[in-house]
Amino acid sequence: MRILVAGGAGFIGSHLCDALLDRGAEVICIDNLITGQAENIAHLRAHPRFQFVQADICSSLPITGPLDRIYHLASPASPPGYLRRPLETALVNSLGTYRLLELARATGARFLLASTSEAYGDPLVHPQPEDYWGNVNPIGVRSCYDEGKRFAEALTMVYVREYGVDARIVRIFNCYGPRSDPNDGRLIPNFVTQALTGQPLTVYGEGTQTRSLCYVSDLVDGLVRAIETPGTTGRVYNLGNPDERSVLEFAQLIKQITGSPSEIVFQPLARDDDPRRRCPDISRARAELGWEPRVSLDEGLTRTIAWFRERLGLGNQSPGSDSTGHGQ
Ligand code: UDP
């Protein structure tokens, strides 16, 4: 199988490339490296079935030959990441999605759009099922991303309905694990880095807002199932771990696992439109994809902390491709 992974040098994309190579595929990774990192795929550069193309899919798509699958994960995804690059974010989700869907139409490849739990905005229904339409501020600071993804979903469905493209959509809830960017400002990279370096853990607001965190190997398993399972054309699936915790609980747990003496400090909410609660209803993915997250929060955090320790030059635990524990 010949597979294109757009955004393949990102945190999730690079783990997906690993998993697809493990399954015997030929993998072409395209990434403009504005938030993806060359070091995430450095271990794959010499792989005979791996090819890296550095390009911005909005301006050029230098991919030739047949394709069997296209995974579209190309977009800044952390709030600080997309708030720094709002135009690139809006464009890659609109124009970039259009270009990849055209490529799927021309090659007959199956297509997967990586959408987001942010499509639900600050949800008024809890937990969120796929048929909830969301509560999104269309002109808020996050709208380059959440409305960008909602447009990408709409465009994907146009190609399914009008052109018979074999596409599906997954809405990814917060994901964590090795290779998440220590500087991207998200909850886990921030708290783990702060705990390991003796800085205070910065809880925004009162820390009562909730998130549900999915370990990266579970998420990648869900992506592959969503594209490979028959009958998924035109379907949308939540992929996330329903183990919902408050932000303060995450801080306490990370302090406990790292044994860090760092204190927890409360700071004003750093961003507008910070969702108060977020938890996926994954009944559909369970029933239709046979998918279930398997890595517990304790286990996932322990592996992630080991990777960060190494990345920050603080220890000798083995980092990199097998630290997900799934041989990716
Ligand atoms: N957060 C926090 N301290 C940090 C980073 C994030 O309290 O140092 C909070 C943030 O306000 C949000 C939650 O953690 O409520 C998750 O933030 P993240 O940036 O990981 O992603 P989001 O789920 O908002 O897209």
Side-chain angles (χ1 to χ4, degrees):
M1 236 191 246
R2 196 158 183 263
I3 302 182
L4 179 66
V5 181
F11 157 50
I12 297 173
S14 67
H15 285 286
L16 176 63
C17 289
D18 287 342
L20 296 173
L21 289 165
D22 279 354
R23 292 166 64 93
E26 181 185 342
V27 175
I28 305 162
C29 160
I30 187 164
D31 203 300
N32 63 358
L33 300 181
I34 64 167
T35 55
Q37 312 261 346
E39 66 179 277
N40 287 343
I41 49 166
H43 63 291
L44 299 177
R45 289 299 186 100
H47 195 294
R49 284 183 279 106
F50 181 78
Q51 187 192 339
F52 175 59
V53 178
Q54 184 172 349
D56 180 351
I57 59 168
C58 293
S59 43
S60 71
L61 200 45
I63 306 296
T64 52
L67 284 175
D68 301 293
R69 307 281 184 264
I70 298 173
Y71 288 86
H72 179 12
L73 286 81
S75 175
S78 78
Y82 61 68
L83 293 173
R84 262 196 306 271
R85 303 225 180 226
L87 182 58
E88 289 88 340
T89 303
L91 286 178
V92 79
N93 283 299
S94 50
L95 183 54
T97 303
Y98 164 69
R99 289 202 196 284
L100 291 176
L101 282 164
E102 278 292 316
L103 188 61
R105 186 181 170 195
T107 57
R110 281 191 207 170
F111 183 92
L112 178 140
L113 171 68
S115 185
T116 172
S117 57
E118 294 217 23
Y120 301 118
D122 189 7
L124 304 176
V125 172
H126 196 81
Q128 294 83 57
E130 288 86 350
D131 53 12
Y132 174 49
W133 292 356
N135 177 38
V136 176
N137 178 354
I139 56 166
V141 289
R142 287 178 178 246
S143 62
C144 59
Y145 185 67
D146 51 32
E147 291 290 12
K149 289 290 187 187
R150 287 166 67 96
F151 177 78
E153 292 194 10
L155 195 63
T156 300
M157 292 310 295
V158 169
Y159 276 75
V160 169
R161 295 191 182 109
E162 296 297 314
Y163 304 114
V165 169
D166 186 352
R168 71 278 299 129
I169 297 163
V170 297
R171 297 193 182 129
I172 299 175
F173 285 64
N174 297 58
C175 181
Y176 72 106
R179 298 189 206 145
S180 52
D181 180 354
N183 302 311
D184 78 2
R186 279 195 251 212
L187 173 132
I188 295 296
N190 273 11
F191 288 174
V192 171
T193 305
Q194 290 160 344
L196 291 176
T197 57
Q199 310 296 313
L201 274 64
T202 52
V203 168
Y204 301 154
E206 292 171 4
T208 50
Q209 68 272 40
T210 67
R211 292 295 185 272
S212 310
L213 295 183
C214 186
Y215 191 66
V216 64
S217 59
D218 282 333
L219 195 267
V220 165
D221 176 41
L223 297 177
V224 175
R225 283 173 190 257
I227 214 167
E228 296 304 335
T229 304
T232 55
T233 309
R235 299 291 284 160
V236 53
Y237 298 98
N238 286 337
L239 293 180
N241 191 325
D243 181 3
E244 180 185 7
R245 311 281 181 110
S246 72
V247 164
L248 184 56
E249 273 181 87
F250 288 119
Q252 287 161 340
L253 194 56
I254 288 167
K255 240 175 85 68
Q256 183 195 320
I257 297 175
T258 54
S260 171
S262 294
E263 55 173 341
I264 294 175
V265 296
F266 294 88
Q267 295 187 349
L269 272 181
R271 301 160 202 146
D272 289 342
D273 300 333
D274 195 324
R276 285 161 292 182
R277 304 177 79 184
R278 191 182 282 158
C279 179
D281 178 336
I282 57 167
S283 325
R284 184 182 291 178
R286 278 193 180 115
E288 295 184 16
L289 308 177
W291 179 75
E292 184 81 41
R294 304 198 176 281
V295 180
S296 70
L297 184 59
D298 272 30
E299 192 183 340
L301 280 178
T302 302
R303 290 183 203 165
T304 306
I305 288 164
W307 182 84
F308 270 81
R309 214 185 274 281
E310 175 74 18
R311 173 75 167 65
L312 297 167
L314 299 169
N316 55 6
Q317 277 113 325
S318 75
S321 58
D322 65 351
S323 55
T324 59
H326 283 231
Q328 287 175 17

